[in-house]
Amino acid sequence: MQFENTLGFSQSLDKEDRLSKYREQFHFPKVKGKQVIYFTGNSLGLQPKNAPSFVNDIMEDWANLAVEGHFHAEKPWWDYHERLAKPMAKVVGAREEEVCVMNTLTVNLHLLMVSFYRPQGKRTKIICEEKAFPSDQYMLQSQVRHHGLDPDETLVEIKKREGEHFWRTEDVLSKIEEVGDELALVLIGGVNYYNGQVFDMEAITKAGKKVGAYVGWDLAHAAGNIELQLHDWGVDFAAWCSYKYMNSGPGNASGIFIHQTHLKNQEIPRFEGWWGTKKETRFLMKPEFEPTGTADSWQLSNPPVLSLAPYLASLEMFEEVGMAALIEKRNRIVSYLEFILKEIDKETTGSFEIITPEDRGCQLSVFLHGQGRQLFDYLMENGVITDWREPNVIRLAPAPFYCSYEDMYRFGQILKEGILKN
Ligand SMILES: Cc1ncc(COP(=O)(O)O)c(C=O)c1O
Ligand SMILES: Nc1c(O)cccc1C(=O)C[C@H](N)C(=O)O
């Protein structure tokens, strides 16, 4: 399609957009009394307007039923998390029993490392991407040290090539081959937080498993953003957070995926708690742990239902719309944003470059030449919420649930003014 950088054209795209009505179902912050252009769904998704009613239901049940709410609330609390697993499984391409919503992301990665990182003999190494999200780096380093190993020797980082802003799949695959029988685990962010690159998870998973390693993915920037087929790709495990594209609320619960083939494998160790045991016998208070035989076996505690409530509200919207429709709009709106950026770049004679490769989801990362934080500040003061990453990158992530094509056009105008003024 031939795009145009005009208000009328952007509005015509909104008219054709089947998802445009969902914009009204989210709360937008305001700057100077005007609704913002929100590009940080990759950091914290907006609040669905129906989220408070889900939380209020629990507050009321707590007031009216107290302890009885565990079993007798309309949505009982003791298995509340199961209501989330079903729609979540669809979002990540999993069977329902392979998914559990619990804890937070870094906590879950640590728990999954207990199961899937068990260095033995010379098979000790972990392949990850260079400059992974810091929490992932700290998690990996501390796990390696926990096993009495040296992170410098054990962590093998895949580098980008000199002068390039993205990782090449062939470099990941050849490193897996090279490390071969010393490789214990591949653990990479499925979508990189900095440049927005989507890794070829299917090919990398296959290659890692071929050399006898486990393969896991941090899907913080992938869940609710890109198509995932975790079961069919044969991924061993994965974890994600829900406060970005899943719009569940600040710091809210993470999800885990464990491939069906591992669910009943007694040789895989894990840390355990009472919510990992069979529902039928959980309250018999027996000393033996009887695993559920699903990903719930990795669940330790009874679920924090007050925080799961807004997540459930959001998942019901995902259920209604489906990933296919979201991805269709995502592709179009991100292409339109890219077009707008290129137009503005021409008019401002090369002020920036897009460093996100073609394998991408919602996010375009823009490297600024010359201009820096003052341009970012100008955008924020003028109602464009983006984020800034050192040394000179602005990340733009138009979430298809609530961003409009008109937002992209208006952003372009504010960006141009900002570049010309600064
Ligand atoms: C790739 C990645 N890993 C880990 C984290 C940390 O997540 P949490 O603070 O929920 O553990 C984030 C986001 O904050 C992230 O984007
Ligand atoms: N969760 C965050 C927070 O509480 C404060 C600031 C940022 C975050 C984020 O989630 C950052 C996000 N993972 C990122 O990719 O930048």
Side-chain angles (χ1 to χ4, degrees):
M1 168 182 256
Q2 200 66 32
F3 289 134
E4 287 171 29
N5 184 15
T6 62
L7 177 60
F9 184 80
S10 68
Q11 288 171 336
S12 72
L13 290 178
D14 282 324
K15 275 206 195 91
E16 285 170 21
D17 174 15
R18 285 188 298 134
L19 303 192
S20 60
K21 63 176 186 211
Y22 287 96
R23 181 175 171 83
E24 297 304 318
Q25 297 186 27
F26 288 88
H27 285 292
F28 281 77
K30 289 195 169 134
V31 168
K32 297 177 192 158
K34 263 182 71 185
Q35 184 168 306
V36 299
I37 298 169
Y38 197 74
F39 278 124
T40 41
N42 57 348
S43 189
L44 180 68
L46 293 180
Q47 183 185 131
K49 285 184 180 162
N50 66 347
S53 79
F54 280 64
V55 179
N56 282 342
D57 285 348
I58 292 183
M59 295 303 276
E60 275 176 29
D61 286 337
W62 180 21
N64 297 327
L65 301 170
V67 73
E68 291 287 279
H70 282 302
F71 299 103
H72 301 299
E74 198 190 319
K75 293 176 187 150
W77 306 331
W78 82 303
D79 58 2
Y80 195 94
H81 61 284
E82 290 176 12
R83 294 173 185 272
L84 289 88
K86 197 173 183 179
M88 196 62 240
K90 281 197 203 159
V91 172
V92 297
R95 310 264 161 97
E96 196 178 330
E97 73 263 29
E98 293 173 320
V99 167
C100 181
V101 171
M102 61 186 210
N103 306 316
T104 48
L105 175 55
T106 309
V107 171
N108 280 341
L109 287 171
H110 275 297
L111 291 175
L112 291 166
M113 292 292 279
V114 169
S115 299
F116 294 101
Y117 180 56
R118 288 173 287 133
Q120 261 160 9
K122 65 176 185 171
R123 202 179 273 284
T124 59
K125 295 203 167 145
I126 302 176
I127 285 186
C128 57
E129 75 278 38
E130 69 172 339
K131 297 190 179 154
F133 192 81
S135 194
D136 294 4
Q137 295 185 49
Y138 309 148
M139 181 280 293
L140 287 171
Q141 290 161 12
S142 60
Q143 282 284 338
V144 166
R145 283 197 301 270
H146 170 73
H147 286 281
L149 298 167
D150 177 357
D152 288 340
E153 284 168 18
T154 309
L155 296 175
V156 180
E157 294 187 346
I158 310 285
K159 311 255 180 243
K160 297 178 202 124
R161 292 190 190 178
E162 192 66 36
E164 292 186 348
H165 293 295
F166 60 94
W167 289 268
R168 288 175 181 253
T169 305
E170 68 226 69
D171 292 350
V172 184
L173 300 184
S174 66
K175 188 56 85 180
I176 289 174
E177 268 298 289
E178 186 191 316
V179 181
D181 60 4
E182 293 184 9
L183 187 62
L185 176 68
V186 178
L187 182 58
I188 298 178
V191 176
N192 182 257
Y193 85 98
Y194 185 78
N195 71 355
Q197 175 175 357
V198 178
F199 281 83
D200 185 340
M201 289 182 244
E202 187 173 11
I204 294 169
T205 301
K206 200 165 154 213
K209 295 183 78 162
K210 194 165 158 222
V211 301
Y214 283 124
V215 182
W217 294 94
D218 176 342
L219 301 177
H221 286 259
N225 175 15
I226 63 166
E227 192 197 346
L228 294 165
Q229 293 298 342
L230 299 182
H231 178 87
D232 289 349
W233 294 342
V235 165
D236 291 303
F237 70 94
W240 53 91
C241 58
S242 58
Y243 45 78
K244 302 179 192 292
Y245 297 105
M246 298 301 306
N247 309 320
S248 73
N252 210 343
S254 162
I256 61 161
F257 164 88
I258 293 173
H259 200 276
Q260 202 177 35
T261 48
H262 302 308
L263 292 176
K264 294 195 171 98
N265 181 349
Q266 307 217 351
E267 278 162 27
I268 295 189
R270 69 183 154 239
F271 286 169
E272 294 170 343
W274 70 323
W275 241 252
T277 61
K278 283 189 178 148
K279 285 161 80 178
E280 307 82 63
T281 51
R282 186 174 300 155
F283 291 92
L284 299 181
M285 303 297 180
K286 295 193 300 182
E288 306 86 36
F289 183 88
E290 285 189 283
T292 59
T294 68
D296 284 2
S297 301
W298 274 257
Q299 188 178 219
L300 305 181
S301 301
N302 74 109
V305 288
L306 276 170
S307 78
L308 296 190
Y311 190 177
L312 182 58
S314 163
L315 275 167
E316 289 191 355
M317 294 174 83
F318 273 87
E319 194 61 354
E320 189 178 302
V321 175
M323 281 309 293
L326 284 166
I327 288 171
E328 192 188 322
K329 174 166 176 193
R330 178 205 74 192
N331 288 342
R332 201 173 209 202
I333 201 165
V334 175
S335 299
Y336 189 53
L337 173 62
E338 182 180 33
F339 163 80
I340 297 276
L341 283 167
K342 286 185 174 159
E343 290 292 297
I344 305 301
D345 194 41
K346 272 190 241 155
E347 290 177 39
T348 56
T349 54
S351 305
F352 55 81
E353 81 187 281
I354 298 172
I355 59 167
T356 303
E358 274 173 23
D359 296 328
R360 67 191 185 195
C362 257
Q363 179 179 323
L364 292 180
S365 300
V366 174
F367 191 93
L368 303 175
H369 296 298
Q371 317 244 350
R373 266 209 89 104
Q374 67 288 22
L375 177 59
F376 166 74
D377 292 341
Y378 181 86
L379 293 173
M380 294 292 278
E381 280 157 21
N382 287 281
V384 179
I385 311 289
T386 70
D387 79 9
W388 172 262
R389 291 286 167 218
E390 295 296 336
N392 234 18
V393 165
I394 287 178
R395 300 184 307 168
L396 306 166
F401 245 128
Y402 46 74
C403 288
S404 69
Y405 292 89
E406 186 175 334
D407 283 343
M408 304 304 111
Y409 167 76
R410 291 197 184 280
F411 159 69
Q413 297 304 299
I414 299 169
L415 177 69
K416 186 163 76 180
E417 276 162 28
I419 292 173
L420 296 176
K421 270 194 187 153
N422 283 287

